[in-house]
Amino acid sequence: MNTKSASNEANLESKKLIEDLSFCVFDLETTGGNHTFDQIIEIGLVRIKNLKVVDSKHYLINPGMPIPDFIQKLTSIKEKDVKDAPRIIEVLDDILDFMGDDILVAHNISFDVPFFNSVLTRNNRERLANKTMCTNLMTKHLIPEIMNSNLNYMSSLFHLNHDQAHRAIEDAKATAELLITYLNFFIQKGIKKINHLYYPRNKFEIDRTHFDQSNSVEEILQMVSPSKSPLLFILKGNEGVLTAVIPIFKISEEKDFLLAELKNNTWTQITVRMMSPYLECLWGLNLHYDKLPVEFKTRLKEHLKKQFPYTKQLQMTDFDFILARHLIQEQFNIYSGMSFIHRTHLTFRYPAQAKKMGQYITAHVGRFESNKKQRKFLVVPELQETFLDFLSFAKESLADHYLFLDLELVKNHPKKLNKAIEEFTHKLPNPYNYPEEHI
């Protein structure tokens, strides 16, 4: 059997595994978060079978108590809307019948299931015994670098229908669409055990994929070629020994070099990861550089030297802060040129976390000035020129993706600084379309 047919067969087996499952996605709107006192005012339920929505139910519930003003504003559910609605005890059997033995799913299952269980207890019913899954927790496992996983944002990222947030049936429908999206991810990744749906950590991240010797070089290139983002290839030989770490800025321009390395390298396993900004690929190379074979390092440095033409090379003292686009929409990285060290950058959302970014800048300026302005450039000596080559190229040719900020602007011109950041973050939409487009 060739590798392509083997891969297709594995996906069919994974699809069959998941299609046999039945899910009930549900969402509650309540008068508040107190399990012993507050009441349900609305519940929406959606059933999924064979990876499709097959049924739904929706109930407005009379809570038998006033609905706080902030809940009315949040949900748009007024007291007049539930005045003639049934009490929860009147529809409890219908709700439980709809749930049946399905796997229960919510976008914040740690709220919805305990709250519903408290309602069952108050009405002398047994607590739910169903297996449960949380799409919010699943998001954090599948997209580990995401900083905002609320349902509104996830619906925006995946272009899901979500017309009315904080209404139970609309939230349940959006969560159901998100779940189906994630189930298809699991199928594409070749899930083999149902338990992996509940515990997907470090196994199914969608920004990376793993290949072994059952995959041909041609198949690997075919899978990764559509990627619009920078990529990092990590090749390992017997007993996990590193044989190559290859940062790829644009795969369309570097395919020949990559093909030669994949064909000539004695690898047994390859991990490919989507990354942005490209600086993170270089940091990945820097992390493993000392462990790599000398012959490979020579070839790679020659390749990288050709990749980034520039008019004037920056020096370490020529940049104070660098703002760069992250792989995920609305997320950015900021790097300090005064302390250019792996993992000292900050990932933040803009504009939501503009204050956090400002605190990062203030802290680095303060440490720099108290340390008599001694810069730290902790990059492997052999790669320092590579980093400076790329940064020189980025400053001249990648203004849409990298914003260089100097200390004078940062310290003395806050309005100009804010304007520069505002213009940069709105310059163009995130070009990667991740996580909809992934490996």
Side-chain angles (χ1 to χ4, degrees):
M1 180 184 294
N2 64 41
T3 55
K4 190 169 184 179
S5 61
S7 176
N8 289 339
E9 185 173 309
N11 286 349
L12 288 173
E13 290 175 1
S14 299
K15 188 176 182 182
K16 179 68 166 62
L17 180 74
I18 289 180
E19 280 184 336
D20 288 342
L21 302 176
S22 183
F23 304 89
C24 176
V25 182
F26 77 109
D27 183 76
L28 305 177
E29 300 299 336
T30 67
T31 57
N34 188 320
H35 292 195
T36 60
F37 174 77
D38 284 306
Q39 302 289 335
I40 295 172
I41 57 175
E42 187 179 35
I43 182 168
L45 305 104
V46 176
R47 175 167 292 117
I48 294 173
K49 283 188 175 180
N50 297 319
L51 295 170
K52 294 180 181 178
V53 172
V54 295
D55 200 2
S56 64
K57 276 197 173 184
H58 167 242
Y59 301 90
L60 280 168
I61 308 292
N62 185 333
M65 63 181 292
I67 302 175
D69 287 344
F70 81 94
I71 294 293
Q72 293 189 48
K73 290 177 182 176
L74 180 70
T75 63
S76 299
I77 299 173
K78 311 297 183 186
E79 291 193 353
K80 65 181 181 179
D81 298 325
V82 298
K83 180 181 177 182
D84 298 323
R87 301 296 295 271
I88 188 66
I89 189 64
E90 299 174 53
V91 295
L92 208 48
D93 286 336
D94 285 345
I95 293 169
L96 291 170
D97 285 345
F98 190 93
M99 289 179 170
D101 297 326
D102 287 357
I103 299 169
L104 298 180
V105 182
H107 196 63
N108 188 3
I109 203 77
S110 61
F111 171 80
D112 294 273
V113 165
F115 197 103
F116 193 75
N117 275 333
S118 72
V119 171
L120 292 174
T121 300
R122 280 183 258 166
N123 288 278
N124 300 312
R125 303 296 183 93
E126 291 185 7
R127 296 162 69 86
L128 295 169
N130 306 57
K131 288 186 176 293
T132 61
M133 284 171 39
C134 181
T135 50
N136 191 11
L137 186 61
M138 196 176 283
T139 297
K140 293 170 183 177
H141 288 321
L142 299 179
I143 314 171
E145 291 195 351
I146 200 161
M147 303 187 73
N148 177 13
S149 58
N150 71 45
L151 190 56
N152 268 351
Y153 183 62
M154 299 315 299
S155 297
S156 172
L157 281 186
F158 288 109
H159 300 100
L160 308 178
N161 294 321
H162 192 205
D163 297 329
Q164 201 171 3
H166 300 294
R167 288 305 300 262
I169 190 60
E170 296 300 328
D171 282 357
K173 286 178 178 178
T175 302
E177 284 193 59
L178 185 61
L179 176 63
I180 292 170
T181 299
Y182 287 166
L183 293 177
N184 281 311
F185 287 165
F186 281 106
I187 291 169
Q188 292 166 22
K189 295 284 188 179
I191 187 172
K192 293 180 174 63
K193 297 179 181 179
I194 293 173
N195 280 351
H196 290 160
L197 290 174
Y198 305 103
Y199 309 106
R201 190 173 180 82
N202 297 329
K203 198 170 184 70
F204 296 95
E205 295 95 334
I206 63 173
D207 64 350
R208 66 202 71 175
T209 192
H210 309 280
F211 301 101
D212 57 31
Q213 290 179 315
S214 67
N215 304 108
S216 69
V217 169
E218 289 73 20
E219 183 184 7
I220 294 170
L221 286 176
Q222 184 180 7
M223 283 191 65
V224 301
S225 288
S227 178
K228 298 174 183 175
S229 77
L231 300 169
L232 185 67
F233 285 72
I234 298 178
L235 282 61
K236 293 181 179 180
N238 293 328
E239 299 181 356
V241 175
L242 277 171
T243 59
V245 175
I246 309 171
I248 297 293
F249 179 59
K250 285 186 179 179
I251 194 163
S252 60
E253 297 176 3
E254 300 176 73
K255 193 175 290 186
D256 290 343
F257 174 77
L258 181 60
L259 179 62
E261 288 299 325
L262 295 187
K263 284 190 171 181
N264 298 327
N265 198 292
T266 54
W267 57 270
T268 59
Q269 188 178 38
I270 297 177
T271 296
V272 185
R273 183 173 174 186
M274 301 172 67
M275 302 183 90
S276 181
Y278 179 74
L279 269 177
E280 288 302 296
C281 293
L282 291 181
W283 280 122
L285 172 63
N286 183 74
L287 181 66
H288 299 294
Y289 193 77
D290 288 338
K291 304 171 190 173
L292 297 172
V294 174
E295 299 83 359
F296 166 74
K297 289 193 280 190
T298 301
R299 294 193 303 270
L300 179 64
K301 285 191 70 179
E302 289 174 357
H303 169 72
L304 292 175
K305 191 67 181 174
K306 298 174 185 175
Q307 280 299 109
F308 306 117
Y310 53 86
T311 304
K312 178 185 176 183
Q313 185 177 55
L314 294 176
Q315 298 303 309
M316 188 180 73
T317 53
D318 290 336
F319 59 95
D320 297 314
F321 291 97
I322 304 169
L323 206 60
R325 289 188 172 278
H326 193 276
L327 192 64
I328 300 172
Q329 182 179 313
E330 296 180 16
Q331 290 186 192
F332 298 85
N333 283 2
I334 186 166
Y335 302 85
S336 168
M338 294 166 282
S339 183
F340 202 62
I341 305 170
H342 185 239
R343 292 300 177 193
T344 60
H345 74 271
L346 173 75
T347 301
F348 66 98
R349 293 176 55 227
Y350 191 88
Q353 294 179 320
K355 184 178 179 181
K356 185 177 180 181
M357 180 203 67
Q359 291 169 342
Y360 173 92
I361 290 174
T362 301
H364 276 263
V365 171
R367 283 197 292 269
F368 174 57
E369 295 192 331
S370 66
N371 197 30
K372 297 182 180 178
K373 300 187 178 181
Q374 291 181 355
R375 292 174 180 262
K376 296 178 181 178
F377 191 53
L378 297 188
V379 174
V380 173
E382 288 183 70
L383 287 179
Q384 289 187 7
E385 187 175 355
T386 300
F387 272 81
L388 291 174
D389 282 349
F390 174 71
L391 291 173
S392 303
F393 172 74
K395 188 168 186 179
E396 289 188 2
S397 306
L398 300 174
D400 288 343
H401 293 268
Y402 292 85
L403 176 65
F404 288 74
L405 304 170
D406 61 59
L407 203 54
E408 167 67 15
L409 178 68
V410 165
K411 286 178 60 179
N412 300 322
H413 303 284
K415 288 185 179 179
K416 286 185 179 180
L417 174 65
N418 290 335
K419 183 179 179 181
I421 293 171
E422 184 77 17
E423 288 178 353
F424 171 72
T425 57
H426 288 86
K427 193 166 286 185
L428 83 168
N430 190 308
Y432 305 126
N433 199 26
Y434 175 84
E436 268 198 314
E437 293 182 18
H438 55 277
I439 300 183

